């Protein structure tokens, strides 16, 4: 089954063709990110304007690179939410129009189900992940821990009580005078820095919970900067210690969950923050005997359309085409219960 997928939930305009949920025939992204480097975050109206310019060329490029014509497609898929409303509307309107013109069914996909499906991309047959599995989904908008028994069924074990992990990187970068997005900028600044130069608290350390909390780390960084002695700011050490603190909190929750639910077969890390190499090292160190998986390419960690194509295929196979292709509304605040039934 060949699906043309579209993802426009934030500042990226993305289209991809994915076969059977795993085989990526093309994956195209146009990003307006450079426009926001100095602003500390995405400006929604500007992101939507850029989406409008890019959407049709990106879709055509995805078809060209896959060497397919619209008639070769079985289905279309698009992110229906959550995200920035203007950006989402560009993608969903284009998808609804093309579905009508090309007479192909259309699946509305929850953005989070896309991230949860990203570890299947480019994976083949025998090595397919095994349920039940734990997925840490950490990006700029959410930080969630899922225990799933299938692609679309399971439990949301916990989420963040305040900032998302990606937000902790983005806000921390702004404090350090680094550009947006903060994750890659902090990771680069951390090169050569000492992880133990500054000590940050481990959030919710003594509470018996799987919840996340990042706002205290950001505040601790602000106070650390305020209290520095006069002289040059030790940027590398600060970035390395702060990155380490975020990673340790994420890893601590995964370790707790694995202990609490012995049925877990695998642990997956997805979302923009799963691109972080230090986080990957720390989780591998903390869970040496667990099958760990990350998206196979860094471009599958951050927002992309291939993951939406994968999610659509799994949604259709588990819910059936009638339910999966049901008409949908575009929603900036789509509840998580619509990603996975729990
Ligand atoms: O999944 P994503 O592309 O978009 C959302 O759904 O939010 O995630 C973007 C987030 C940003 O906060 C960015 O700083 C973070 O992911 N990020 C990273 C890295 N690359 C992106 N965080 C840490 N290390 C990275 N290498
Ligand atoms: Zn995302």
């Amino acid at each position: 089954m060949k699906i043309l997928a579209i993802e426009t939930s934030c500042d990226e305009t993305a289209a991809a063709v994915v076969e059977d949920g795993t085989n990526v025939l093309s994956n195209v992204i146009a990003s307006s990110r450079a426009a926001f480097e100095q602003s500390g975050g995405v400006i929604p109206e500007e992101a939507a304007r850029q989406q409008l310019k890019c959407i049709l060329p990106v879709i055509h490029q995805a078809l060209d690179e896959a060497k397919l014509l619209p008639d070769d497609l079985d289905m279309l898929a698009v992110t229906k939410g959550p995200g920035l409303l203007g950006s989402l509307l560009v993608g969903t309107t284009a998808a609804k129009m093309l579905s009508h013109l090309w007479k192909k069914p259309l699946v509305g996909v929850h953005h989070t189900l896309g991230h949860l499906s990203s570890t299947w991309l480019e994976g083949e047959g025998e090595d397919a992940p095994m349920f039940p599995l734990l997925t840490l989904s950490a990006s700029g908008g959410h930080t969630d821990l899922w225990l799933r028994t299938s692609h679309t069924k399971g439990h949301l074990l916990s989420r963040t009580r305040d900032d998302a992990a990606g937000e902790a990187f983005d806000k921390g970068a702004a404090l350090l005078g680094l550009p947006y997005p903060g994750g890659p900028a902090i990771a680069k600044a951390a090169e050569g820095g000492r992880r133990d130069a500054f000590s940050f608290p481990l959030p919710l350390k003594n509470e018996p919970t799987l919840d996340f909390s990042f706002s205290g780390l950001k505040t601790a960084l602000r106070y650390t900067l305020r209290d520095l002695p006069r002289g040059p700011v030790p940027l590398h050490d600060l970035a390395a210690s702060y990155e380490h603190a975020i990673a340790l909190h994420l890893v601590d929750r995964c370790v707790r969950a694995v202990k609490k639910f012995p049925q877990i077969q695998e642990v997956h890390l997805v979302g923009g923050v799963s691109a972080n190499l230090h986080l990957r090292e720390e989780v591998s160190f903390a869970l040496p005997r667990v099958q760990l998986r990350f998206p196979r390419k860094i471009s599958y960690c951050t927002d992309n359309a291939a993951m939406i194509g994968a999610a659509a295929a799994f949604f259709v196979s588990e819910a059936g085409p009638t339910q999966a292709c049901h008409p949908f509304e575009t929603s900036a605040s789509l509840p998580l219960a619509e990603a996975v039934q729990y």
Side-chain angles (χ1 to χ4, degrees):
M1 183 164 65
K2 295 189 186 70
I3 298 182
L4 171 74
I6 298 168
E7 147 66 43
T8 63
S9 64
C10 190
D11 59 343
E12 273 119 357
T13 314
V17 181
V18 181
E19 191 177 27
D20 301 332
T22 56
N23 190 13
V24 182
L25 303 181
S26 66
N27 188 36
V28 179
I29 299 188
S31 173
S32 56
R33 186 143 287 183
F36 306 120
E37 262 186 20
Q38 300 312 322
S39 60
V42 175
I43 302 164
E45 291 74 16
E46 184 52 26
R49 261 194 294 277
Q50 294 297 330
Q51 300 270 13
L52 207 48
K53 272 192 205 158
C54 298
I55 186 77
L56 292 178
V58 164
I59 290 171
H60 283 132
Q61 194 181 334
L63 278 175
D64 285 352
E65 288 185 13
K67 299 190 175 59
L68 294 176
L69 295 170
D71 239 11
D72 303 323
L73 299 169
D74 296 289
M75 205 170 265
L76 303 184
V78 66
T79 304
K80 62 179 176 180
L84 302 174
L85 185 60
S87 290
L88 285 167
L89 279 170
V90 173
T92 52
T93 307
K96 286 179 184 180
M97 172 190 71
L98 293 174
S99 150
H100 178 77
L101 284 178
W102 296 344
K103 300 185 176 53
K104 303 286 172 186
L106 172 64
V107 187
V109 176
H110 195 295
H111 183 77
T112 290
L113 187 62
H115 280 300
L116 295 179
S117 307
S118 61
T119 34
W120 272 261
L121 292 170
E122 295 191 23
E124 298 298 328
E126 290 202 345
D127 187 37
M130 291 206 308
F131 293 101
L133 55 84
L134 182 80
T135 308
L136 168 65
S137 177
S139 72
H142 58 260
T143 304
D144 310 317
L145 210 46
W146 294 89
L147 177 58
R148 285 182 301 154
T149 49
S150 79
H151 289 283
T152 57
K153 292 203 172 62
H155 297 281
L156 177 64
L157 297 179
S158 66
R159 44 199 308 195
T160 182
R161 294 183 184 180
D162 40 59
D163 291 347
E167 243 179 311
F169 276 109
D170 297 337
K171 291 179 176 173
L175 289 172
L176 293 169
L178 296 169
Y180 175 84
I186 288 187
K188 189 154 194 319
E191 283 169 18
R194 287 178 299 135
R195 304 279 179 205
D196 59 355
F198 295 91
S199 70
F200 289 100
L202 186 62
L204 307 176
K205 184 177 164 196
N206 298 319
E207 287 188 41
T209 174
L210 294 172
D211 288 355
F212 300 88
S213 169
F214 290 97
S215 65
L217 282 179
K218 173 196 65 192
T219 309
L221 177 62
R222 179 177 290 127
Y223 289 144
T224 305
L225 280 164
R226 185 195 63 186
D227 298 339
L228 281 178
R230 280 174 176 273
V233 172
L235 179 66
H236 299 300
D237 285 350
L238 275 169
S241 302
Y242 186 66
E243 181 185 42
H244 189 55
I246 294 173
L248 286 190
H249 182 37
L250 292 169
V251 170
D252 179 63
R253 303 294 119 161
C254 293
V255 171
R256 282 182 187 210
V258 167
K259 281 194 189 137
K260 190 165 173 190
F261 300 100
Q263 69 270 37
I264 289 171
Q265 302 279 325
E266 310 195 351
V267 174
H268 295 196
L269 270 65
V270 302
V273 175
S274 72
N276 189 274
L277 298 182
H278 181 60
L279 170 64
R280 292 181 178 207
E281 274 170 26
E282 287 295 330
V283 76
S284 308
F285 179 73
L287 293 170
R289 278 179 290 280
V290 174
Q291 165 78 61
L292 291 175
R293 289 186 208 253
F294 311 96
R296 284 182 174 75
K297 285 185 180 160
I298 295 296
S299 56
Y300 299 151
C301 297
T302 45
D303 288 349
N304 66 88
M307 69 183 193
I308 302 300
F314 303 144
F315 189 21
V316 170
S317 79
E318 292 188 3
T322 313
Q323 196 188 325
C325 300
H326 202 70
F328 60 86
E329 296 288 322
T330 308
S331 167
S333 54
L334 198 62
L336 276 177
E338 293 201 24
V340 173
Q341 286 170 11
Y342 61 91

